[in-house]
Each structure stands twice: as structure tokens, then as C-alpha cells.
Amino acid sequence: MRIHVFGNPDIAMDALPLRILPVLRARAPEIDFRTLDPNEEWDLVDPFVVIDTVVGIPSVHIFRSLDEFAAAPTVSVHDFDALFNLRYLKKLGKLGEVRILGLSPEISEEEAIVQVLAMIAEIKKDPA
């Protein structure tokens, strides 16, 4: 299984996925964790599984559809983010099933690790 990890180490609110990545790799060595820039070309696999920061959720949540996200206004090229790119790829028919492990920027690293590992186990049991 491959899991893509998004985040920005220079922005504290967006760095949690990257901060917990070394522990996730150590505790789940069978998973191919790959860090990606949300705006670069991606190697699409099905299901496409992502770990990313999601503002407005209380903990960690598995999103099973892009329709679960409220549309963010696109104001400038700086707002061209991962969600926009995923929706674009879906519209082009290049993206199949998507699973987004959304991490609240408000939770601790320890809590995020425990919850992400539990959700990875859930996805492995039922990838669809």
C-alpha cells in the first residue's frame, strides 16, 4: 500500500503530517509513505491515499469522497492546493478511489500517530 503525505514544514499549522512521518515509517514499514508537493505531478494509484492537514475537524478523519469537503474559494495561484488538484484529476477521469486521512492541526503528534495507524489498519481491511 502506498500513502502520500502532504504538508509544509515551514508552516506550523500544516507540518503535522511531516512531523509524524518518521514514526509512521518505523511503526508501519510495510507501507510505502511518499511525501508529495500538492501541486506537482503525482503517480496515481487506486486507491489514492493521502495524509494531510484539514482545518475545521476535531481529530483525525477518513474522507472517502472529495464531495465531503466544502469548496474553498480560489482567489489566486497561491490557492491552487491539493484539494483543487484532486478534484481536477477526478474530473479528468484520472483519479479513482480516494482516501484522505485528515489531521486536525490542533491535535498532538502522539494522538495523530495513534489515530492514523488505526485508520491505516481500517483502510487495509476495507480499501473500497
Side-chain angles (χ1 to χ4, degrees), residues 59-100:
S59 59
V60 177
H61 179 76
I62 297 178
F63 295 89
R64 298 181 182 275
S65 168
L66 299 177
D67 295 334
E68 291 183 59
F69 291 93
T74 302
V75 179
S76 71
V77 271
H78 298 290
D79 295 318
F80 189 83
D81 62 1
L83 181 58
F84 181 89
N85 202 10
L86 289 168
R87 285 185 170 146
Y88 183 67
L89 291 168
K90 190 77 163 174
K91 186 174 184 175
L92 292 175
K94 295 183 176 189
L95 184 66
E97 293 293 321
V98 176
R99 300 291 175 267
I100 299 172

mmCIF file of all heavy atoms in Angstrom, residues 59-100:
data_model
loop_
_atom_site.group_PDB
_atom_site.id
_atom_site.type_symbol
_atom_site.label_atom_id
_atom_site.label_comp_id
_atom_site.label_asym_id
_atom_site.label_seq_id
_atom_site.Cartn_x
_atom_site.Cartn_y
_atom_site.Cartn_z
ATOM 1 N N SER A 59 -10.315 15.921 15.165
ATOM 2 C CA SER A 59 -9.255 14.936 15.362
ATOM 3 C C SER A 59 -8.782 14.447 14.000
ATOM 4 O O SER A 59 -8.532 15.244 13.122
ATOM 5 C CB SER A 59 -9.751 13.781 16.240
ATOM 6 O OG SER A 59 -10.873 13.160 15.643
ATOM 7 N N VAL A 60 -8.684 13.137 13.834
ATOM 8 C CA VAL A 60 -8.326 12.557 12.538
ATOM 9 C C VAL A 60 -9.591 11.965 11.945
ATOM 10 O O VAL A 60 -10.392 11.362 12.653
ATOM 11 C CB VAL A 60 -7.240 11.463 12.703
ATOM 12 C CG1 VAL A 60 -6.914 10.815 11.380
ATOM 13 C CG2 VAL A 60 -5.979 12.047 13.313
ATOM 14 N N HIS A 61 -9.765 12.136 10.651
ATOM 15 C CA HIS A 61 -10.979 11.659 9.987
ATOM 16 C C HIS A 61 -10.620 11.087 8.623
ATOM 17 O O HIS A 61 -9.783 11.661 7.922
ATOM 18 C CB HIS A 61 -11.979 12.805 9.819
ATOM 19 C CG HIS A 61 -13.238 12.421 9.122
ATOM 20 N ND1 HIS A 61 -14.234 11.705 9.738
ATOM 21 C CD2 HIS A 61 -13.646 12.633 7.849
ATOM 22 C CE1 HIS A 61 -15.220 11.506 8.865
ATOM 23 N NE2 HIS A 61 -14.883 12.063 7.707
ATOM 24 N N ILE A 62 -11.244 9.977 8.254
ATOM 25 C CA ILE A 62 -11.072 9.434 6.904
ATOM 26 C C ILE A 62 -12.153 10.033 6.013
ATOM 27 O O ILE A 62 -13.344 9.849 6.268
ATOM 28 C CB ILE A 62 -11.195 7.894 6.854
ATOM 29 C CG1 ILE A 62 -10.112 7.217 7.661
ATOM 30 C CG2 ILE A 62 -11.130 7.411 5.397
ATOM 31 C CD1 ILE A 62 -10.231 5.700 7.684
ATOM 32 N N PHE A 63 -11.718 10.731 4.997
ATOM 33 C CA PHE A 63 -12.638 11.236 3.984
ATOM 34 C C PHE A 63 -12.616 10.240 2.838
ATOM 35 O O PHE A 63 -11.560 9.925 2.302
ATOM 36 C CB PHE A 63 -12.198 12.625 3.499
ATOM 37 C CG PHE A 63 -12.267 13.678 4.564
ATOM 38 C CD1 PHE A 63 -11.189 13.912 5.394
ATOM 39 C CD2 PHE A 63 -13.423 14.423 4.740
ATOM 40 C CE1 PHE A 63 -11.252 14.887 6.383
ATOM 41 C CE2 PHE A 63 -13.500 15.399 5.723
ATOM 42 C CZ PHE A 63 -12.410 15.629 6.548
ATOM 43 N N ARG A 64 -13.771 9.736 2.453
ATOM 44 C CA ARG A 64 -13.875 8.728 1.405
ATOM 45 C C ARG A 64 -14.362 9.304 0.080
ATOM 46 O O ARG A 64 -14.546 8.584 -0.884
ATOM 47 C CB ARG A 64 -14.781 7.592 1.856
ATOM 48 C CG ARG A 64 -14.223 6.872 3.080
ATOM 49 C CD ARG A 64 -15.095 5.721 3.528
ATOM 50 N NE ARG A 64 -14.554 5.096 4.704
ATOM 51 C CZ ARG A 64 -13.613 4.153 4.709
ATOM 52 N NH1 ARG A 64 -13.112 3.755 3.573
ATOM 53 N NH2 ARG A 64 -13.174 3.631 5.831
ATOM 54 N N SER A 65 -14.562 10.608 0.068
ATOM 55 C CA SER A 65 -15.014 11.286 -1.148
ATOM 56 C C SER A 65 -14.575 12.738 -1.104
ATOM 57 O O SER A 65 -14.575 13.367 -0.034
ATOM 58 C CB SER A 65 -16.538 11.217 -1.248
ATOM 59 O OG SER A 65 -17.015 12.081 -2.256
ATOM 60 N N LEU A 66 -14.239 13.272 -2.250
ATOM 61 C CA LEU A 66 -13.884 14.689 -2.327
ATOM 62 C C LEU A 66 -15.098 15.571 -2.071
ATOM 63 O O LEU A 66 -14.966 16.736 -1.701
ATOM 64 C CB LEU A 66 -13.277 15.006 -3.699
ATOM 65 C CG LEU A 66 -11.994 14.251 -4.040
ATOM 66 C CD1 LEU A 66 -11.536 14.601 -5.453
ATOM 67 C CD2 LEU A 66 -10.908 14.536 -3.025
ATOM 68 N N ASP A 67 -16.296 15.001 -2.250
ATOM 69 C CA ASP A 67 -17.526 15.756 -2.025
ATOM 70 C C ASP A 67 -17.745 16.085 -0.546
ATOM 71 O O ASP A 67 -18.592 16.905 -0.213
ATOM 72 C CB ASP A 67 -18.735 14.985 -2.554
ATOM 73 C CG ASP A 67 -18.685 14.819 -4.067
ATOM 74 O OD1 ASP A 67 -18.057 15.671 -4.736
ATOM 75 O OD2 ASP A 67 -19.249 13.833 -4.580
ATOM 76 N N GLU A 68 -16.985 15.431 0.346
ATOM 77 C CA GLU A 68 -17.114 15.710 1.775
ATOM 78 C C GLU A 68 -16.493 17.052 2.168
ATOM 79 O O GLU A 68 -16.719 17.533 3.270
ATOM 80 C CB GLU A 68 -16.461 14.595 2.595
ATOM 81 C CG GLU A 68 -17.181 13.271 2.527
ATOM 82 C CD GLU A 68 -16.522 12.243 3.417
ATOM 83 O OE1 GLU A 68 -16.433 12.486 4.640
ATOM 84 O OE2 GLU A 68 -16.088 11.208 2.889
ATOM 85 N N PHE A 69 -15.711 17.649 1.277
ATOM 86 C CA PHE A 69 -15.050 18.911 1.573
ATOM 87 C C PHE A 69 -15.873 20.070 1.048
ATOM 88 O O PHE A 69 -16.387 20.020 -0.063
ATOM 89 C CB PHE A 69 -13.663 18.965 0.909
ATOM 90 C CG PHE A 69 -12.680 18.013 1.510
ATOM 91 C CD1 PHE A 69 -12.519 16.743 0.977
ATOM 92 C CD2 PHE A 69 -11.919 18.382 2.608
ATOM 93 C CE1 PHE A 69 -11.613 15.860 1.526
ATOM 94 C CE2 PHE A 69 -11.014 17.501 3.163
ATOM 95 C CZ PHE A 69 -10.856 16.244 2.628
ATOM 96 N N ALA A 70 -15.949 21.119 1.849
ATOM 97 C CA ALA A 70 -16.586 22.350 1.379
ATOM 98 C C ALA A 70 -15.663 22.977 0.345
ATOM 99 O O ALA A 70 -14.448 22.900 0.451
ATOM 100 C CB ALA A 70 -16.796 23.313 2.549
ATOM 101 N N ALA A 71 -16.243 23.557 -0.662
ATOM 102 C CA ALA A 71 -15.441 24.190 -1.716
ATOM 103 C C ALA A 71 -14.708 25.400 -1.152
ATOM 104 O O ALA A 71 -15.312 26.263 -0.544
ATOM 105 C CB ALA A 71 -16.334 24.601 -2.876
ATOM 106 N N ALA A 72 -13.399 25.408 -1.344
ATOM 107 C CA ALA A 72 -12.596 26.559 -0.914
ATOM 108 C C ALA A 72 -12.543 27.560 -2.061
ATOM 109 O O ALA A 72 -12.374 27.167 -3.212
ATOM 110 C CB ALA A 72 -11.185 26.087 -0.553
ATOM 111 N N PRO A 73 -12.695 28.828 -1.770
ATOM 112 C CA PRO A 73 -12.633 29.811 -2.855
ATOM 113 C C PRO A 73 -11.229 29.886 -3.448
ATOM 114 O O PRO A 73 -10.249 29.855 -2.726
ATOM 115 C CB PRO A 73 -13.008 31.125 -2.177
ATOM 116 C CG PRO A 73 -12.700 30.907 -0.734
ATOM 117 C CD PRO A 73 -12.882 29.433 -0.475
ATOM 118 N N THR A 74 -11.145 29.933 -4.764
ATOM 119 C CA THR A 74 -9.862 30.068 -5.436
ATOM 120 C C THR A 74 -9.699 31.531 -5.824
ATOM 121 O O THR A 74 -10.420 32.023 -6.673
ATOM 122 C CB THR A 74 -9.809 29.163 -6.682
ATOM 123 O OG1 THR A 74 -10.032 27.821 -6.256
ATOM 124 C CG2 THR A 74 -8.475 29.257 -7.375
ATOM 125 N N VAL A 75 -8.757 32.203 -5.192
ATOM 126 C CA VAL A 75 -8.583 33.621 -5.391
ATOM 127 C C VAL A 75 -7.338 33.926 -6.215
ATOM 128 O O VAL A 75 -7.335 34.816 -7.022
ATOM 129 C CB VAL A 75 -8.509 34.335 -4.018
ATOM 130 C CG1 VAL A 75 -8.299 35.819 -4.191
ATOM 131 C CG2 VAL A 75 -9.762 34.065 -3.208
ATOM 132 N N SER A 76 -6.287 33.150 -6.017
ATOM 133 C CA SER A 76 -5.042 33.395 -6.745
ATOM 134 C C SER A 76 -4.316 32.074 -6.959
ATOM 135 O O SER A 76 -4.757 31.032 -6.473
ATOM 136 C CB SER A 76 -4.142 34.343 -5.946
ATOM 137 O OG SER A 76 -3.632 33.676 -4.812
ATOM 138 N N VAL A 77 -3.197 32.119 -7.660
ATOM 139 C CA VAL A 77 -2.447 30.886 -7.883
ATOM 140 C C VAL A 77 -1.956 30.280 -6.582
ATOM 141 O O VAL A 77 -1.738 29.084 -6.506
ATOM 142 C CB VAL A 77 -1.245 31.113 -8.823
ATOM 143 C CG1 VAL A 77 -1.604 30.937 -10.238
ATOM 144 C CG2 VAL A 77 -0.565 32.410 -8.566
ATOM 145 N N HIS A 78 -1.824 31.067 -5.552
ATOM 146 C CA HIS A 78 -1.395 30.536 -4.257
ATOM 147 C C HIS A 78 -2.457 29.645 -3.639
ATOM 148 O O HIS A 78 -2.160 28.848 -2.752
ATOM 149 C CB HIS A 78 -1.043 31.686 -3.307
ATOM 150 C CG HIS A 78 0.088 32.519 -3.811
ATOM 151 N ND1 HIS A 78 1.382 32.068 -3.857
ATOM 152 C CD2 HIS A 78 0.108 33.764 -4.332
ATOM 153 C CE1 HIS A 78 2.157 32.999 -4.369
ATOM 154 N NE2 HIS A 78 1.405 34.042 -4.672
ATOM 155 N N ASP A 79 -3.694 29.772 -4.091
ATOM 156 C CA ASP A 79 -4.779 28.959 -3.561
ATOM 157 C C ASP A 79 -4.965 27.658 -4.346
ATOM 158 O O ASP A 79 -5.901 26.915 -4.091
ATOM 159 C CB ASP A 79 -6.096 29.750 -3.570
ATOM 160 C CG ASP A 79 -6.030 30.937 -2.635
ATOM 161 O OD1 ASP A 79 -5.489 30.768 -1.529
ATOM 162 O OD2 ASP A 79 -6.486 32.020 -3.019
ATOM 163 N N PHE A 80 -4.109 27.391 -5.303
ATOM 164 C CA PHE A 80 -4.178 26.150 -6.067
ATOM 165 C C PHE A 80 -3.596 25.056 -5.187
ATOM 166 O O PHE A 80 -2.406 24.863 -5.111
ATOM 167 C CB PHE A 80 -3.384 26.286 -7.371
ATOM 168 C CG PHE A 80 -3.568 25.133 -8.304
ATOM 169 C CD1 PHE A 80 -4.658 25.078 -9.150
ATOM 170 C CD2 PHE A 80 -2.659 24.092 -8.323
ATOM 171 C CE1 PHE A 80 -4.828 24.012 -10.022
ATOM 172 C CE2 PHE A 80 -2.824 23.021 -9.188
ATOM 173 C CZ PHE A 80 -3.908 22.983 -10.038
ATOM 174 N N ASP A 81 -4.443 24.358 -4.468
ATOM 175 C CA ASP A 81 -3.975 23.425 -3.456
ATOM 176 C C ASP A 81 -4.282 21.979 -3.808
ATOM 177 O O ASP A 81 -4.740 21.668 -4.904
ATOM 178 C CB ASP A 81 -4.556 23.797 -2.098
ATOM 179 C CG ASP A 81 -6.082 23.719 -2.066
ATOM 180 O OD1 ASP A 81 -6.692 23.351 -3.090
ATOM 181 O OD2 ASP A 81 -6.662 24.027 -1.031
ATOM 182 N N ALA A 82 -4.015 21.101 -2.863
ATOM 183 C CA ALA A 82 -4.190 19.665 -3.085
ATOM 184 C C ALA A 82 -5.641 19.314 -3.420
ATOM 185 O O ALA A 82 -5.890 18.512 -4.326
ATOM 186 C CB ALA A 82 -3.724 18.887 -1.854
ATOM 187 N N LEU A 83 -6.592 19.886 -2.706
ATOM 188 C CA LEU A 83 -7.996 19.570 -2.966
ATOM 189 C C LEU A 83 -8.400 19.971 -4.377
ATOM 190 O O LEU A 83 -9.067 19.217 -5.090
ATOM 191 C CB LEU A 83 -8.905 20.248 -1.935
ATOM 192 C CG LEU A 83 -10.397 19.981 -2.079
ATOM 193 C CD1 LEU A 83 -10.702 18.484 -2.004
ATOM 194 C CD2 LEU A 83 -11.176 20.745 -1.016
ATOM 195 N N PHE A 84 -7.977 21.150 -4.802
ATOM 196 C CA PHE A 84 -8.282 21.595 -6.163
ATOM 197 C C PHE A 84 -7.683 20.620 -7.176
ATOM 198 O O PHE A 84 -8.342 20.222 -8.142
ATOM 199 C CB PHE A 84 -7.731 23.002 -6.399
ATOM 200 C CG PHE A 84 -8.033 23.529 -7.779
ATOM 201 C CD1 PHE A 84 -9.202 24.229 -8.017
ATOM 202 C CD2 PHE A 84 -7.160 23.309 -8.831
ATOM 203 C CE1 PHE A 84 -9.492 24.710 -9.297
ATOM 204 C CE2 PHE A 84 -7.440 23.780 -10.104
ATOM 205 C CZ PHE A 84 -8.605 24.483 -10.340
ATOM 206 N N ASN A 85 -6.436 20.227 -6.950
ATOM 207 C CA ASN A 85 -5.753 19.299 -7.860
ATOM 208 C C ASN A 85 -6.462 17.947 -7.890
ATOM 209 O O ASN A 85 -6.664 17.365 -8.963
ATOM 210 C CB ASN A 85 -4.292 19.139 -7.447
ATOM 211 C CG ASN A 85 -3.420 18.648 -8.574
ATOM 212 O OD1 ASN A 85 -3.827 18.594 -9.726
ATOM 213 N ND2 ASN A 85 -2.206 18.277 -8.236
ATOM 214 N N LEU A 86 -6.871 17.424 -6.732
ATOM 215 C CA LEU A 86 -7.586 16.154 -6.682
ATOM 216 C C LEU A 86 -8.915 16.238 -7.434
ATOM 217 O O LEU A 86 -9.268 15.330 -8.195
ATOM 218 C CB LEU A 86 -7.830 15.734 -5.233
ATOM 219 C CG LEU A 86 -6.605 15.282 -4.448
ATOM 220 C CD1 LEU A 86 -6.924 15.182 -2.964
ATOM 221 C CD2 LEU A 86 -6.090 13.951 -4.984
ATOM 222 N N ARG A 87 -9.648 17.325 -7.225
ATOM 223 C CA ARG A 87 -10.926 17.491 -7.935
ATOM 224 C C ARG A 87 -10.713 17.578 -9.444
ATOM 225 O O ARG A 87 -11.490 17.027 -10.224
ATOM 226 C CB ARG A 87 -11.652 18.731 -7.424
ATOM 227 C CG ARG A 87 -12.277 18.524 -6.064
ATOM 228 C CD ARG A 87 -13.082 19.717 -5.640
ATOM 229 N NE ARG A 87 -13.846 19.393 -4.444
ATOM 230 C CZ ARG A 87 -14.112 20.251 -3.488
ATOM 231 N NH1 ARG A 87 -13.689 21.499 -3.573
ATOM 232 N NH2 ARG A 87 -14.812 19.879 -2.442
ATOM 233 N N TYR A 88 -9.669 18.255 -9.847
ATOM 234 C CA TYR A 88 -9.348 18.373 -11.271
ATOM 235 C C TYR A 88 -9.013 17.002 -11.868
ATOM 236 O O TYR A 88 -9.528 16.634 -12.925
ATOM 237 C CB TYR A 88 -8.182 19.354 -11.445
ATOM 238 C CG TYR A 88 -7.802 19.612 -12.881
ATOM 239 C CD1 TYR A 88 -8.667 20.269 -13.743
ATOM 240 C CD2 TYR A 88 -6.566 19.203 -13.362
ATOM 241 C CE1 TYR A 88 -8.308 20.511 -15.062
ATOM 242 C CE2 TYR A 88 -6.203 19.450 -14.676
ATOM 243 C CZ TYR A 88 -7.073 20.102 -15.528
ATOM 244 O OH TYR A 88 -6.723 20.330 -16.829
ATOM 245 N N LEU A 89 -8.183 16.229 -11.188
ATOM 246 C CA LEU A 89 -7.823 14.890 -11.666
ATOM 247 C C LEU A 89 -9.051 13.979 -11.716
ATOM 248 O O LEU A 89 -9.187 13.162 -12.623
ATOM 249 C CB LEU A 89 -6.734 14.279 -10.782
ATOM 250 C CG LEU A 89 -5.369 14.944 -10.884
ATOM 251 C CD1 LEU A 89 -4.450 14.459 -9.764
ATOM 252 C CD2 LEU A 89 -4.737 14.680 -12.247
ATOM 253 N N LYS A 90 -9.941 14.102 -10.747
ATOM 254 C CA LYS A 90 -11.180 13.313 -10.729
ATOM 255 C C LYS A 90 -12.043 13.675 -11.939
ATOM 256 O O LYS A 90 -12.572 12.796 -12.624
ATOM 257 C CB LYS A 90 -11.929 13.565 -9.421
ATOM 258 C CG LYS A 90 -13.084 12.650 -9.183
ATOM 259 C CD LYS A 90 -12.589 11.309 -8.724
ATOM 260 C CE LYS A 90 -13.695 10.513 -8.084
ATOM 261 N NZ LYS A 90 -13.273 9.162 -7.771
ATOM 262 N N LYS A 91 -12.168 14.960 -12.208
ATOM 263 C CA LYS A 91 -12.975 15.433 -13.334
ATOM 264 C C LYS A 91 -12.416 14.940 -14.659
ATOM 265 O O LYS A 91 -13.162 14.612 -15.588
ATOM 266 C CB LYS A 91 -13.030 16.961 -13.330
ATOM 267 C CG LYS A 91 -13.950 17.550 -14.365
ATOM 268 C CD LYS A 91 -14.057 19.051 -14.217
ATOM 269 C CE LYS A 91 -15.051 19.599 -15.210
ATOM 270 N NZ LYS A 91 -15.281 21.031 -15.025
ATOM 271 N N LEU A 92 -11.089 14.852 -14.762
ATOM 272 C CA LEU A 92 -10.446 14.351 -15.976
ATOM 273 C C LEU A 92 -10.521 12.826 -16.102
ATOM 274 O O LEU A 92 -10.144 12.278 -17.129
ATOM 275 C CB LEU A 92 -8.966 14.765 -16.004
ATOM 276 C CG LEU A 92 -8.681 16.251 -16.169
ATOM 277 C CD1 LEU A 92 -7.186 16.505 -16.049
ATOM 278 C CD2 LEU A 92 -9.209 16.761 -17.499
ATOM 279 N N GLY A 93 -11.012 12.162 -15.050
ATOM 280 C CA GLY A 93 -11.115 10.709 -15.077
ATOM 281 C C GLY A 93 -9.800 10.005 -14.791
ATOM 282 O O GLY A 93 -9.673 8.805 -15.024
ATOM 283 N N LYS A 94 -8.830 10.723 -14.248
ATOM 284 C CA LYS A 94 -7.521 10.142 -13.968
ATOM 285 C C LYS A 94 -7.384 9.644 -12.538
ATOM 286 O O LYS A 94 -6.400 9.015 -12.191
ATOM 287 C CB LYS A 94 -6.412 11.167 -14.247
ATOM 288 C CG LYS A 94 -6.315 11.541 -15.701
ATOM 289 C CD LYS A 94 -5.176 12.488 -15.949
ATOM 290 C CE LYS A 94 -5.062 12.759 -17.445
ATOM 291 N NZ LYS A 94 -3.844 13.507 -17.760
ATOM 292 N N LEU A 95 -8.363 9.941 -11.711
ATOM 293 C CA LEU A 95 -8.303 9.585 -10.297
ATOM 294 C C LEU A 95 -9.462 8.669 -9.954
ATOM 295 O O LEU A 95 -10.611 8.997 -10.220
ATOM 296 C CB LEU A 95 -8.354 10.859 -9.441
ATOM 297 C CG LEU A 95 -8.200 10.700 -7.946
ATOM 298 C CD1 LEU A 95 -6.799 10.204 -7.601
ATOM 299 C CD2 LEU A 95 -8.450 12.030 -7.253
ATOM 300 N N GLY A 96 -9.143 7.521 -9.376
ATOM 301 C CA GLY A 96 -10.177 6.572 -8.956
ATOM 302 C C GLY A 96 -10.599 6.847 -7.520
ATOM 303 O O GLY A 96 -10.918 7.973 -7.152
ATOM 304 N N GLU A 97 -10.560 5.797 -6.712
ATOM 305 C CA GLU A 97 -10.936 5.922 -5.303
ATOM 306 C C GLU A 97 -9.922 6.783 -4.557
ATOM 307 O O GLU A 97 -8.722 6.700 -4.803
ATOM 308 C CB GLU A 97 -11.005 4.540 -4.650
ATOM 309 C CG GLU A 97 -12.116 3.668 -5.188
ATOM 310 C CD GLU A 97 -13.490 4.211 -4.835
ATOM 311 O OE1 GLU A 97 -13.675 4.716 -3.709
ATOM 312 O OE2 GLU A 97 -14.379 4.132 -5.694
ATOM 313 N N VAL A 98 -10.422 7.588 -3.634
ATOM 314 C CA VAL A 98 -9.580 8.466 -2.836
ATOM 315 C C VAL A 98 -9.894 8.240 -1.364
ATOM 316 O O VAL A 98 -11.049 8.103 -0.983
ATOM 317 C CB VAL A 98 -9.843 9.961 -3.173
ATOM 318 C CG1 VAL A 98 -9.036 10.867 -2.273
ATOM 319 C CG2 VAL A 98 -9.554 10.245 -4.619
ATOM 320 N N ARG A 99 -8.847 8.192 -0.554
ATOM 321 C CA ARG A 99 -8.987 8.155 0.893
ATOM 322 C C ARG A 99 -8.058 9.229 1.437
ATOM 323 O O ARG A 99 -6.853 9.187 1.197
ATOM 324 C CB ARG A 99 -8.587 6.806 1.489
ATOM 325 C CG ARG A 99 -9.379 5.631 0.989
ATOM 326 C CD ARG A 99 -10.820 5.692 1.495
ATOM 327 N NE ARG A 99 -11.613 4.626 0.908
ATOM 328 C CZ ARG A 99 -12.337 4.738 -0.189
ATOM 329 N NH1 ARG A 99 -12.355 5.871 -0.849
ATOM 330 N NH2 ARG A 99 -13.042 3.741 -0.649
ATOM 331 N N ILE A 100 -8.626 10.194 2.147
ATOM 332 C CA ILE A 100 -7.817 11.251 2.734
ATOM 333 C C ILE A 100 -7.886 11.120 4.246
ATOM 334 O O ILE A 100 -8.970 11.176 4.829
ATOM 335 C CB ILE A 100 -8.297 12.645 2.288
ATOM 336 C CG1 ILE A 100 -8.171 12.764 0.770
ATOM 337 C CG2 ILE A 100 -7.494 13.734 3.000
ATOM 338 C CD1 ILE A 100 -8.776 14.000 0.182
#
